[in-house]
Amino acid sequence: MNARLLIRLLLHCVLPLVIGFAIYYFFRPEVAVIRWTGHHTPLIPVSEMNDWQRLLVFSGPDFCWSYSLSAALFIWQKAQDRPLPYFTLFVFLIILLSELLQGWALPGFTLDWADLIAALSAFGLSWMFKAR
Amino acid sequence: MKTKHFLLVLILFVYAGLYIATSTPDKCDNDCERTNQTFMNLRLNRPYVSTLYRCTNRQGSDTLCVFVSDTTGIDWNLFADTACMVASQNGLPRQKIFIIKSGATPPDTLAKKVCP
């Protein structure tokens, strides 16, 4: 693995996941992954947050996960010998479905339009970086 | 399967795992609303109350874990009685209350109470 690829992976895939995890860890300890760590106390209870803080805490991790996944898939695509047709559409559909499924099919999740916008924005941002 | 396709599948599995790991125990149904309301009422004038939720994800659980910062001079058994009363007022009678010190590993239970 060359240094440039490593930096891309760290910056575009790992860093967003770390940021998303930190948001969950410090503000939403009720989610499964944080409960497993034994951490229980949010820095600020959700009931005391203003609208912007809630938006960051609830949609921020979705943005980070979507950005990271899109970037990982685009990096994978770039490593292929020849371009894959409809791959961008494939990534878009994964991101879209991952949010829409939360409303209809998956217990323990909630569909929120802010989350959907955040996820699609993350996809768009990742796609822009991919073009460079 | 070619290595490159294996890698693609691996990426999707890893991210699917992360996705599932961020699920919450339940949607906020009636019980969740009552639990939240109990927390809000219990926290009034008690800044040492950090958070409160069901101790297990099991549906129909009658346990309430109240996480508190360990402030000396507080009678935690008396506080557990108060928690029982507040829970009951919010439609959660006959709960098992656990008062737990925040941030302690392993968890440090300060008081337990089976509410009447």
Side-chain angles (χ1 to χ4, degrees), chain A residues 8-125:
Chain A
R8 281 173 68 98
L9 284 173
L10 288 175
L11 191 63
H12 296 287
C13 301
V14 177
L15 181 61
L17 291 179
V18 171
I19 293 170
F21 182 85
I23 292 173
Y24 280 131
Y25 189 86
F26 290 114
F27 300 102
R28 295 187 55 199
E30 78 278 11
V31 300
V33 67
I34 306 303
R35 288 175 72 117
W36 297 335
T37 68
H39 177 71
H40 298 288
T41 313
L43 281 184
I44 309 171
V46 172
S47 55
E48 292 177 11
M49 291 179 188
N50 63 34
D51 289 345
W52 288 108
Q53 288 169 327
R54 282 181 193 226
L55 185 68
L56 180 69
V57 163
F58 283 94
S59 299
D62 290 60
F63 180 92
C64 292
W65 181 87
S66 300
Y67 182 87
S68 177
L69 173 58
S70 302
L73 292 173
F74 286 139
I75 289 170
W76 176 86
Q77 181 200 26
K78 204 166 186 173
Q80 306 313 304
D81 301 331
R82 50 187 176 169
L84 299 166
Y86 306 115
F87 192 77
T88 301
L89 179 64
F90 169 70
V91 178
F92 175 81
L93 287 176
I94 287 179
I95 299 297
L96 182 66
L97 286 176
S98 69
E99 287 299 325
L100 292 181
L101 277 174
Q102 296 188 28
W104 294 314
L106 299 174
F109 293 90
T110 48
L111 171 63
D112 187 293
W113 295 112
D115 291 353
L116 182 62
I117 291 167
L120 294 181
S121 303
F123 163 80
L125 189 65

Side-chain angles (χ1 to χ4, degrees), chain A residues 13 17 24 28-33 35-36 39-42 45 47-48 65 68-69 72-73 76 80 87 90 94 98-99 101-103 106-110, chain B residues 2-5 7-8 11-12 14-16 18-28 39-40 43 50-51 53-57 67 102-105 107:
Chain A
C13 301
L17 291 179
Y24 280 131
R28 295 187 55 199
E30 78 278 11
V31 300
V33 67
R35 288 175 72 117
W36 297 335
H39 177 71
H40 298 288
T41 313
S47 55
E48 292 177 11
W65 181 87
S68 177
L69 173 58
L73 292 173
W76 176 86
Q80 306 313 304
F87 192 77
F90 169 70
I94 287 179
S98 69
E99 287 299 325
L101 277 174
Q102 296 188 28
L106 299 174
F109 293 90
T110 48
Chain B
K2 293 178 182 175
T3 308
K4 65 180 182 180
H5 288 131
L7 191 58
L8 176 62
I11 290 170
L12 292 173
V14 167
Y15 279 86
L18 293 171
Y19 182 94
I20 290 164
T22 57
S23 65
T24 48
D26 289 304
K27 289 186 180 180
C28 200
F39 168 62
M40 302 281 278
R43 192 179 162 81
S50 304
T51 189
Y53 46 73
R54 291 287 181 204
C55 304
T56 70
N57 296 343
F67 289 87
S102 286
T105 309

Side-chain angles (χ1 to χ4, degrees), chain B residues 23-37:
Chain B
S23 65
T24 48
D26 289 304
K27 289 186 180 180
C28 200
D29 54 12
N30 280 345
D31 184 72
C32 165
E33 285 292 341
R34 288 171 182 166
T35 308
N36 285 350
Q37 197 56 49

